[in-house]
Amino acid sequence: MKRPKLLAICAVVLAVIVGVAGGMTYAATVFNKAANAHVRIIAGSNIGLYSNSSATNVVSTIEIGDVARGESEDVTFYVKNNGGVSTIISQGASTMPASVGTITLTFDGNTQKTLAPGEISKVVATFRAASGAAAGDVNFTISINYIDATDSTPGPTPTPIPTSTPTPTPTPAPGTVSYSATIQPILNASCVACHGSGGSAGVNLTSYSATMATAGVVAGDAANSLLYKSLTGNGATKMPIGGSLTSEQITAVQNWINQGARNN
């Protein structure tokens, strides 16, 4: 967006701030003295300021008139879009001290206005003198902001791309243990020598079907499975006799049983 350009309005207000005659007391009447005031307008390159609604008389000075303390005065002039694109106009900054008063601009009754090329807007400038303003001349400027409407208009709202919630892919349980890849090799290395076909205590650990049939495996419950209790020595004679599986191997058997003792 371009920075708003400023149309400067240099103003000199001979503020007619009501003065009470000093040094003497009047019985009933207080006399006031008023002075004239004027504003000098400097037109910008894209908009012009005019004194008439048909925008034929260029404004160089706007007479505000007499303004007493605490009172206000409205002055009307017109602004025309002399450019080739639609322009947004609004009140700009003012150098008027707050101790002097305030000045407010409206454009066809609004604080801002969009003018098409060649369009004219009525501007009402309202000056209100501060109740404690000092009498005398006051020099200040006000300004009108104007900017190409095409530079400040947001682009079209993007059309949302329809989204769908993907069906989550089942994630295998952490550390899924395979019977064929992990459990049977452990049994072959440490148990089958004693617990083969026709082995000790009738336990046969040479295959999945034999292990499930003879080793007291309770699928999903390692704590109550004879195979696991025998490896830990907790609730059964510890196996293998005279040795032990590593803690990792015992944990693998425990996890395999708790995971359902599958033939995987």
Side-chain angles (χ1 to χ4, degrees):
M1 179 184 295
K2 298 180 181 177
R3 171 181 289 180
K5 304 174 184 176
L6 298 179
L7 176 66
I9 304 177
C10 302
V12 177
V13 175
L14 299 176
V16 184
I17 314 299
V18 175
V20 179
M24 299 182 67
T25 301
Y26 293 87
T29 305
V30 176
F31 296 95
N32 298 325
K33 179 65 176 176
N36 293 325
H38 65 274
V39 176
R40 181 177 179 83
I41 307 297
I42 301 174
S45 59
N46 290 340
I47 62 174
L49 302 178
Y50 304 89
S51 62
N52 60 329
S53 60
S54 58
T56 56
N57 299 327
V58 177
V59 169
S60 58
T61 300
I62 294 177
E63 295 296 336
I64 294 179
D66 298 347
V67 185
R69 291 189 182 104
E71 299 297 323
S72 63
E73 186 72 21
D74 289 346
V75 180
T76 298
F77 59 97
Y78 298 85
V79 59
K80 179 180 180 181
N81 180 4
N82 292 321
V85 296
S86 294
T87 300
I88 299 173
I89 56 175
S90 61
Q91 180 171 346
S94 171
T95 61
M96 178 183 294
S99 60
V100 173
T102 60
I103 190 160
T104 304
L105 304 184
T106 59
F107 306 89
D108 292 331
N110 302 301
T111 56
Q112 76 173 30
K113 174 83 174 182
T114 300
L115 298 181
E119 187 177 358
I120 300 168
S121 175
K122 177 182 177 181
V123 183
V124 176
T126 302
F127 171 75
R128 178 175 293 276
S131 58
D137 295 341
V138 181
N139 296 310
F140 66 95
T141 62
I142 59 175
S143 60
I144 295 177
N145 292 337
Y146 62 102
I147 185 171
D148 291 348
T150 53
D151 290 336
S152 60
T153 302
T157 302
T159 301
I161 298 175
T163 59
S164 59
T165 302
T167 301
T169 301
T171 302
T176 298
V177 181
S178 166
Y179 179 84
S180 59
T182 302
I183 303 304
Q184 190 61 59
I186 292 174
L187 300 178
N188 289 343
S190 302
C191 306
V192 168
C194 295
H195 295 286
S197 179
S200 176
V203 176
N204 183 351
L205 302 178
T206 59
S207 66
Y208 174 79
S209 59
T211 298
M212 294 299 292
T214 65
V217 175
V218 180
D221 188 359
N224 289 312
S225 295
L226 178 61
L227 176 62
Y228 176 70
K229 290 192 289 184
S230 297
L231 297 178
T232 62
N234 184 12
T237 303
K238 192 173 187 311
M239 296 289 176
I241 296 174
S244 177
L245 271 61
T246 66
S247 59
E248 290 80 5
Q249 290 173 323
I250 294 173
T251 298
V253 173
Q254 179 187 29
N255 291 339
W256 169 71
I257 296 173
N258 285 337
Q259 293 168 8
R262 292 174 294 169
N263 185 15
N264 55 357

